[in-house]
Amino acid sequence: MELAGKRVLVMGMGKSGLAMLRLIREQGGAPTACDSKPLAELESVSAQIVSLSSGYLTQAEAAETTAAGFDLVTISPGVPADLPMLEAARGAGIPVVGEVELASAYLRGPVLAITGTNGKTTTTSLAGHLLKSAGIPAQVGGNIGTPVCDMIATSADDRWNVLELSSFQLETTVGFRADIAVCLNVTPDHLDRHRTMENYIAQKRRLFETQTPGGHAVLNAGDPIVASFAGVSPAAPHFFSLSAASADAPCEMELRGDDIIYRGEKLFGRSAIPLAGLHNVENVMAASLAALLAGAPPAAAAQGISSFPGVEHRLEFVRRLNGVLWYNDSKATNVDAALKAIASFQQPLWIILGGKDKNSDYRPLADALQGKVRKALLIGDATGLIASQISPAVPSVACETISGAVDYAFRHARMGDLVLLAPACASFDQFQGYEHRGRVFKTLVEGLSKEDGR
């Protein structure tokens, strides 16, 4: 993808958009920045935008020109790929690509890409940790931490690029190729963006359709949707499962009793996994299998598991106060993730739910919480919808904000209880992202005083 001398419209001024501006500028292109907001409202990044771009357009201004005058349009993951102006640009013969696709033309070294509805960040972080623990050069980024465009400078022919990839990133890939592709699970999510479950599945499947012979496809045999991706990938399939008996394909890695078995031999015991929840056993198996395929020796992978520190905002223990445990799972941005978090604990729960709805069905939460929860503490725009779908099985109280929910739990939770932030919703009604929501929650919890407890 030749960028020198090209006029490029870059849409979306988040981390990925800024990374694209840098890459295009470094490659001799002329990028024009674009966002839904006026430049004056992007105070935290406006100076970077001005220094990196040749100009600035709001999305409305860009739409009026249907991207005329540009040789290429690049979009950040948060920009819907089916906007009318983008369809018009394609119709005019102007290529439209995403950040991952743009970066793939310049990224050196093999790629280990991980997708799935839930568990991506933990699995991606762990896979990178296992490779590094085994002495294999690796860098981690994508939908986690560093945009792929910003990984190019530190990429090398012998260094693995371990990437978390969302459905938003995958829907614009064409030439991107993963040497090792991993899918953990596929359950309903982002239906406000993709509209149908079929469209959402198609974006996940894209990671495997673009592979080539000689690569590896790591798939959850216990998830029928994921297992079906073996039929579209030219790469060799490798299956993992919590239960080989319920899997649809022979498994290279499985859970037998309390042992993780790899190709018929014990790799390590479940007690070596420093993460709560059965779903994290799946994540560990996926990361381990991927790392082994990338060249990590079994003994090094087993040793790396026990030294993994975990990931912020994923079933993260915050503190114990007055005999009450507080956990931050702000990354539980959909119902399935919240269900997995709920299943990870046996203590009586106070669960904080709510935020921006993604066209989700919250009724499964009622069955999971009934008889287990003291009360659901509801926050954000989805408060009324969640209350209507979990009542009367689950008692709830509208707390409006996360501060109100923390205060309510602090005043009412008893010794032996557990307070869990697992919102089952996006965060953008009140926060900049799930990380922001999690940090606010932790700050509030860490600021609670033992002397003020009820």
Side-chain angles (χ1 to χ4, degrees), residues 63-223:
E64 290 178 1
T65 68
T66 62
F70 293 99
D71 302 303
L72 174 69
V73 178
T74 65
I75 61 174
S76 298
V79 177
D82 59 355
L83 289 176
M85 67 164 290
L86 297 179
E87 297 290 4
R90 294 184 186 99
I94 302 170
V96 178
V97 303
E99 188 251 340
V100 173
E101 180 71 15
L102 181 69
S104 67
Y106 299 91
L107 193 68
R108 298 169 58 197
V111 172
L112 194 173
I114 297 167
T115 195
T117 303
N118 297 307
K120 295 186 296 295
T121 300
T122 296
T123 306
T124 304
S125 301
L126 177 56
H129 174 79
L130 293 178
L131 292 179
K132 294 173 186 176
S133 297
I136 297 173
Q139 60 176 348
V140 176
N143 197 46
I144 169 179
T146 307
V148 186
C149 282
D150 281 344
M151 298 172 67
I152 293 168
T154 51
S155 65
D157 292 341
D158 64 345
R159 189 180 194 188
W160 280 90
N161 301 286
V162 184
L163 308 179
E164 175 188 325
L165 296 181
S166 69
S167 59
F168 297 172
Q169 292 169 306
L170 288 169
E171 69 179 334
T172 52
T173 55
V174 179
F176 170 79
R177 304 282 184 267
D179 298 278
I180 300 176
V182 181
C183 190
L184 303 168
N185 45 65
V186 178
T187 57
D189 196 17
H190 300 303
L191 299 186
D192 55 334
R193 165 86 169 249
H194 298 300
R195 296 185 175 84
T196 68
M197 189 63 183
E198 290 72 21
N199 286 341
Y200 178 57
I201 293 170
Q203 310 316 325
K204 298 297 188 183
R205 187 169 55 235
R206 188 74 187 138
L207 178 61
F208 300 89
E209 292 172 334
T210 57
Q211 286 191 279
T212 56
H216 304 280
V218 177
L219 302 165
N220 185 347
D223 185 314

Side-chain angles (χ1 to χ4, degrees), residues 7-11 13 21 30-34 53-57 70:
R7 297 159 298 174
V8 185
L9 181 66
V10 181
M11 296 183 64
M13 288 296 104
L21 289 178
T32 294
C34 177
S53 65
S54 301
Y56 185 86
L57 294 172
F70 293 99

Side-chain angles (χ1 to χ4, degrees), residues 287-308:
S288 300
L289 185 50
L292 291 167
L293 292 169
Q303 187 173 13
I305 293 295
S306 60
S307 62
F308 182 59

Side-chain angles (χ1 to χ4, degrees), residues 405-448:
V406 168
D407 179 68
Y408 190 96
F410 180 54
R411 289 186 289 109
H412 293 87
R414 304 192 292 269
M415 183 176 291
D417 289 355
L418 188 147
V419 182
L420 172 65
L421 171 66
C425 290
S427 58
F428 299 114
D429 56 338
Q430 296 180 341
F431 302 96
Q432 297 168 8
Y434 75 84
E435 301 99 330
H436 181 209
R437 177 170 61 191
R439 288 193 298 268
V440 169
F441 174 74
K442 290 195 294 181
T443 298
L444 289 167
V445 173
E446 288 163 353
L448 297 173

Side-chain angles (χ1 to χ4, degrees), residues 327 329-330 332 337-338 341-342 351-354 420-425:
Y327 275 83
D329 198 30
S330 184
I342 292 164
I351 186 168
I352 301 174
L353 296 169
L420 172 65
L421 171 66
C425 290

Side-chain angles (χ1 to χ4, degrees), residues 232-387:
V232 303
S233 176
H238 305 268
F239 294 97
F240 66 93
S241 177
L242 287 175
S243 173
S246 64
D248 293 333
C251 296
E252 288 183 51
M253 189 170 290
E254 62 189 81
L255 178 66
R256 293 185 195 167
D258 287 328
D259 292 333
I260 308 299
I261 305 299
Y262 172 60
R263 295 180 177 175
E265 300 291 333
K266 178 179 177 179
L267 187 63
F268 50 83
R270 184 176 173 180
S271 60
I273 300 175
L275 304 170
L278 190 61
H279 64 290
N280 272 321
V281 177
E282 279 190 323
N283 296 337
V284 166
M285 287 194 291
S288 300
L289 185 50
L292 291 167
L293 292 169
Q303 187 173 13
I305 293 295
S306 60
S307 62
F308 182 59
V311 179
E312 188 180 19
H313 311 302
R314 283 85 179 169
L315 284 182
E316 177 189 11
F317 174 69
V318 181
R319 72 181 295 192
R320 179 193 295 269
L321 179 63
N322 298 336
V324 176
L325 300 175
W326 295 75
Y327 275 83
N328 165 33
D329 198 30
S330 184
K331 187 60 172 67
T333 59
N334 57 60
V335 172
D336 188 61
L339 290 171
K340 287 179 168 64
I342 292 164
S344 300
F345 302 107
Q346 301 305 314
Q347 296 94 331
L349 283 178
W350 299 82
I351 186 168
I352 301 174
L353 296 169
K356 183 180 183 294
D357 176 54
K358 296 190 284 184
N359 196 25
S360 300
D361 180 1
Y362 301 99
R363 288 172 294 183
L365 293 171
D367 291 336
L369 291 171
Q370 190 170 16
K372 187 173 185 176
V373 69
R374 301 280 193 202
K375 197 167 283 189
L377 310 177
L378 307 182
I379 64 173
D381 291 350
T383 291
L385 179 60
I386 296 174

